[in-house]
Amino acid sequence: MRELYANQAISILYRCGQRYFAQRLRETGLGFELGAMPFLFCSYQSPGITQEALSVQAGMDKGTAARALKKLEAEGNIRRDEDESDGRRRHVCVTEKARALIPNLAAVIEEYHQILYEGFDEAEIRLTRSLLIRMKHNIRQVIREKSGAAVPRRSQTKIRGRPSEKGGLGFIWAI
């Protein structure tokens, strides 16, 4: 049997993760759509973030962000406030309804990470994150060079793994 390339393994892991989250969200009855989770968590972690900055932070294009935010807003999970100095700019804030969902969503994500890291020691987790970050930087640099966009410094990107013992939500999404 032929070995998988790293990108194939990553793709399979991603799809399995999507299925896992979809199943757990149904089971928990949170009534939440998986695709909106990065936007909800980024909005929660950065209150008042602009819609444009949110799309960058969540790693999604502006159109995807706009559709997800429209749905989150219709469900009463976020509100988008017009910027006082620039009417085209919107600031995104989570509502109390969404704040009540965060601990349950975070628990599902923590559960997922525990499954992923089963049998790994801390050195293996750090190495895995480091290698994935390097791969991401490599492909992003090529994409940006071909598009003519500036290439960000490596230190701007972090992949978070296990949650801190302090209980923060910083571990939730890879940015």
Side-chain angles (χ1 to χ4, degrees), residues 17 38-39 52 62-63 79 89 91 103 107 119 131 134 142 155 168 173:
F39 300 103
E52 183 175 355
K62 291 178 187 180
R79 69 174 198 279
R89 181 176 282 171
H91 296 275
L131 295 172
R134 285 173 48 195
V142 169
S155 62
W173 292 105

Side-chain angles (χ1 to χ4, degrees), residues 50-157:
T50 64
Q51 188 169 320
E52 183 175 355
L54 183 59
S55 69
V56 171
Q57 191 172 353
M60 309 283 185
D61 64 71
K62 291 178 187 180
T64 300
R67 286 186 297 278
L69 292 174
K70 183 177 182 178
K71 186 161 179 63
L72 284 169
E73 189 173 32
E75 294 167 345
N77 290 309
I78 63 152
R79 69 174 198 279
R80 292 187 280 184
D81 301 328
E82 188 174 299
D83 187 284
E84 292 176 10
S85 62
D86 183 352
R88 297 169 296 175
R89 181 176 282 171
R90 301 281 183 260
H91 296 275
V92 180
C93 297
V94 296
T95 62
E96 288 306 314
K97 176 185 175 185
R99 284 185 192 285
L101 297 175
I102 296 291
N104 295 328
L105 290 170
V108 170
I109 293 166
E110 167 59 16
E111 184 181 282
Y112 175 69
H113 286 143
Q114 293 301 319
I115 293 166
L116 284 181
Y117 296 132
E118 180 69 31
F120 284 61
D121 63 31
E122 291 300 320
E124 290 172 318
I125 293 168
R126 280 193 306 276
L127 177 61
T128 300
R129 285 192 302 237
S130 174
L131 295 172
L132 289 169
I133 289 167
R134 285 173 48 195
M135 286 182 207
K136 181 181 72 169
H137 283 296
N138 290 344
I139 195 64
R140 279 191 172 172
Q141 182 166 346
V142 169
I143 290 168
R144 287 188 174 105
E145 286 172 356
K146 289 186 180 288
S147 70
V151 179
R153 295 188 331 261
R154 283 183 179 254
S155 62
Q156 291 178 326
T157 305

Side-chain angles (χ1 to χ4, degrees), residues 3-86:
E3 286 188 43
L4 291 176
Y5 288 108
N7 66 306
Q8 291 171 310
I10 291 166
S11 179
I12 291 167
L13 179 62
Y14 172 78
R15 290 191 309 272
C16 288
Q18 295 296 312
R19 286 195 306 267
Y20 175 83
F21 281 119
Q23 178 183 355
R24 291 296 292 133
L25 290 175
R26 276 192 310 275
E27 290 171 358
T28 57
L30 290 170
F32 206 93
E33 232 176 82
L34 180 60
M37 285 176 63
F39 300 103
L40 180 67
F41 279 108
C42 289
S43 300
Y44 175 79
Q45 292 171 329
S46 303
I49 188 171
T50 64
Q51 188 169 320
E52 183 175 355
L54 183 59
S55 69
V56 171
Q57 191 172 353
M60 309 283 185
D61 64 71
K62 291 178 187 180
T64 300
R67 286 186 297 278
L69 292 174
K70 183 177 182 178
K71 186 161 179 63
L72 284 169
E73 189 173 32
E75 294 167 345
N77 290 309
I78 63 152
R79 69 174 198 279
R80 292 187 280 184
D81 301 328
E82 188 174 299
D83 187 284
E84 292 176 10
S85 62
D86 183 352

